Amino acid sequence: MSAIESLIGEFGRLPGIGRKTAQRLTYHLLKGRPEDARRLAEAIDRVLAEVKPCAECGNLSSEAPCEYCRNSRRDPAQVCVVEEASDIAAIEASGRFRGRYHVLGGHLSPLDGVGPDELNIARLLERLEVGVSELIIATNPSVEGEATAAYLHRAVSRFPGLRVTRLARGLPVGGDLEYADGVTIAEAFSGRREM
Amino acid sequence: MPIVTTRSIVLQTHAYSDTSKILRLLTMDHGPQSVMARGALRPRSRLSGLLEPFAEGAATFYLKPDRDLHTLSGFDLVCERQALGRDLKRYAAASVLCELVLRLAPVEHDPELFHALTTGLDSLMSVEAVAVSGTAVAAAWTLVDVLGFAPDLGGCARCGDPLVERGGRLDVREGSLVCDQCLPPGAVLPADEIRTLREVASGQPGGEALSSRQIHILVEFIRHHAAEGIRLRSLDFLLLEEAR
């Protein structure tokens, strides 16, 4: 296999990139300045060498512990559980949460062979032994995310003083009720609140 | 490239890129099909909350005869089954039914299979908590029957004893019952467990808790007789839940 074909193949293995896009990326690199391509290769090398899951929370970070676990201004009594490290960025962008995180590394999915042992749950239970007063379950609002939340809720029931909350579900801000799907509207009705 | 609309159940979903989903569907008119739902993961997509496992609706897609992946253009929800995800045993049981169909469904359309799956999923939604396992096992046996792998539970396959009073065992390889006299040494099901097996295998779950032995029989039967030695991962999950 030629070097060009090899690179197209590697790009094509990335999520959301088909063969045509892989070809475009490859030829873009070849047509550009060599140092640009080298910088990309070095960045990939560096991320592979330096980024590891945080031993405390499972977040991907080049520092140990990660920036959220290390930050003494964040409230250690609140832990927000997310499926993937990339979910943290979305929550951080909201600017509303000042606690710490825990990354499960996925969700329960019997069809894909993902059970509780495949997720970062044992470490979460260890963390709850000391000084955590609220666990915020922020798994995705999907069937699998709900099942994962149900599993966590049951698993943490042995911590009597622990407050367990789940992110609300419903209509997106700025959305239009007319175009919302039936399931989302039904969830919004179930989760309606007093004014 | 004809555009078709057919009643469908979402068996499995996978995220594809940042915004799209690939779905495995069981359709009423075109058997199992894979479709790409472009943009379904966008927050304001009209499909975002609909295309979840176990949901049922009228799917509209471009059916390309020589392709394995078609393009979904619409999904009119008939029944959402999100609640199955909020109860782990129901979730595991519904996954078992979907995995059976994913692994074993023929490529041709089979309205009876479609009906058996919807009936099974609906039962899991409505049944009392204590009867979830029994309902799951009965629904799985019904699917096994519709798929053409049903065991012969009429009586001992060797001596003809009706196995009403006597214990025996389901010979997984033979797909039939054998009485305790004709059996080689080993674990024997008492007569009442054989009666229960006959009930659940005929799709009658009963209203009470089911022994885990009945789930093990189903697991072994499916593994040896239907799935060619493959262990269904969702059945392992159901067993794990049953043990809790």
Side-chain angles (χ1 to χ4, degrees):
Chain A
M1 188 191 288
S2 73
I4 290 180
E5 274 302 314
S6 166
L7 186 56
I8 291 172
E10 292 307 316
F11 275 132
R13 285 154 54 108
L14 297 176
I17 296 191
R19 184 162 174 86
K20 215 148 202 162
T21 308
Q23 276 176 344
R24 273 177 42 215
L25 292 172
T26 301
Y27 284 105
H28 175 81
L29 285 177
L30 289 171
K31 278 194 281 187
R33 295 182 308 170
E35 54 266 36
D36 290 344
R38 264 188 218 107
R39 219 174 25 248
L40 175 65
E42 281 166 14
I44 293 172
D45 253 352
R46 197 172 153 212
V47 88
L48 287 176
E50 293 179 10
V51 175
K52 302 271 184 295
C54 171
E56 186 70 10
C57 72
N59 180 29
L60 294 174
S61 173
S62 51
E63 290 158 325
C66 76
E67 59 180 299
Y68 304 110
C69 292
R70 220 176 44 242
N71 188 340
S72 59
R73 295 174 66 187
R74 299 191 79 102
D75 183 1
Q78 277 193 326
V79 172
C80 177
V81 182
V82 294
E83 290 183 13
E84 300 292 350
S86 51
D87 297 331
I88 292 177
I91 296 174
E92 283 299 297
S94 75
R96 286 294 297 269
F97 179 64
R98 297 297 300 160
R100 294 194 173 161
Y101 291 99
H102 192 87
V103 180
L104 293 174
H107 53 224
L108 292 178
S109 179
L111 286 177
D112 298 313
V114 181
D117 293 345
E118 278 69 45
L119 301 177
N120 185 20
I121 292 176
R123 179 71 193 121
L124 173 66
L125 299 180
E126 284 173 18
R127 290 181 72 188
L128 296 179
E129 299 280 357
V130 276
V132 177
S133 59
E134 182 177 2
L135 184 72
I136 302 164
I137 301 178
T139 52
N140 287 328
S142 59
V143 170
E144 295 94 337
E146 285 299 324
T148 309
Y151 181 86
L152 289 176
H153 189 215
R154 188 177 67 190
V156 303
S157 60
R158 65 181 157 104
F159 299 97
L162 182 69
R163 182 179 180 218
V164 184
T165 55
R166 176 96 173 97
L167 289 191
R169 304 171 63 163
L171 296 166
V173 174
D176 194 327
L177 192 66
E178 186 183 353
Y179 296 109
D181 65 76
V183 178
T184 302
I185 293 175
E187 290 291 336
F189 265 93
S190 304
R192 70 189 186 278
R193 60 185 182 196
E194 298 291 339
M195 291 180 71
Chain B
M1 186 196 307
I3 188 163
V4 297
T5 298
T6 177
R7 192 78 165 245
S8 305
I9 302 165
V10 180
L11 302 173
Q12 193 175 21
T13 69
H14 288 291
Y16 181 82
S17 77
D18 291 339
T19 56
S20 301
K21 263 182 172 181
I22 291 177
L23 313 174
R24 291 284 290 151
L25 303 175
L26 179 67
T27 73
M28 174 78 98
D29 302 317
H30 302 280
Q33 296 289 346
S34 296
V35 297
M36 167 84 80
R38 293 189 196 283
L41 289 175
R42 289 185 204 278
R44 292 184 190 176
S45 164
R46 62 199 158 84
L47 297 173
S48 62
L50 306 181
L51 303 177
E52 286 287 303
F54 322 130
E56 187 179 340
T60 301
F61 55 92
Y62 298 93
L63 186 67
K64 304 164 201 161
D66 49 352
R67 298 275 183 89
D68 293 331
L69 184 63
H70 312 288
T71 303
L72 188 79
S73 71
F75 192 87
D76 289 329
L77 189 72
V78 172
C79 175
E80 57 97 2
R81 298 188 176 97
Q82 292 266 326
L84 288 171
R86 293 178 197 134
D87 181 305
L88 287 165
K89 207 183 270 187
R90 289 176 213 266
Y91 175 58
S95 298
V96 168
L97 303 187
C98 288
E99 190 172 5
L100 266 173
V101 173
L102 278 166
R103 295 274 186 108
L104 301 171
V107 292
E108 300 83 24
H109 81 287
D110 184 347
E112 197 184 351
L113 179 65
F114 189 91
H115 179 69
L117 181 59
T118 54
T119 305
L121 292 173
D122 286 341
S123 307
L124 288 173
M125 289 274 288
S126 59
V127 77
E128 294 288 321
V130 69
V132 169
S133 302
T135 302
V137 172
W141 278 121
T142 301
L143 286 176
V144 167
D145 184 15
V146 171
L147 289 163
F149 299 100
D152 175 9
L153 301 178
C156 176
R158 299 189 190 164
C159 70
D161 186 284
L163 281 166
V164 176
E165 306 285 332
R166 197 187 268 183
R169 194 192 303 161
L170 177 64
D171 184 328
V172 165
R173 276 189 298 181
E174 295 290 324
S176 55
L177 286 173
V178 184
C179 75
D180 54 7
Q181 298 295 305
C182 300
L183 273 173
V188 169
L189 284 177
D192 61 329
E193 285 275 14
I194 289 182
R195 192 166 52 248
T196 305
L197 174 62
R198 283 176 169 145
E199 284 167 5
V200 291
S202 65
Q204 298 164 30
E208 293 173 4
L210 198 70
S211 73
S212 62
R213 187 142 57 164
Q214 294 287 342
I215 304 178
H216 280 284
I217 293 171
L218 176 72
V219 169
E220 289 306 307
F221 184 84
I222 288 173
R223 185 162 63 166
H224 284 272
H225 212 69
E228 296 173 337
I230 299 165
R231 203 173 172 98
L232 296 191
R233 291 182 285 204
S234 50
L235 268 171
D236 289 340
F237 194 87
L238 181 63
L239 277 171
L240 207 67
E241 275 306 304
E242 193 60 30
R244 284 180 203 281

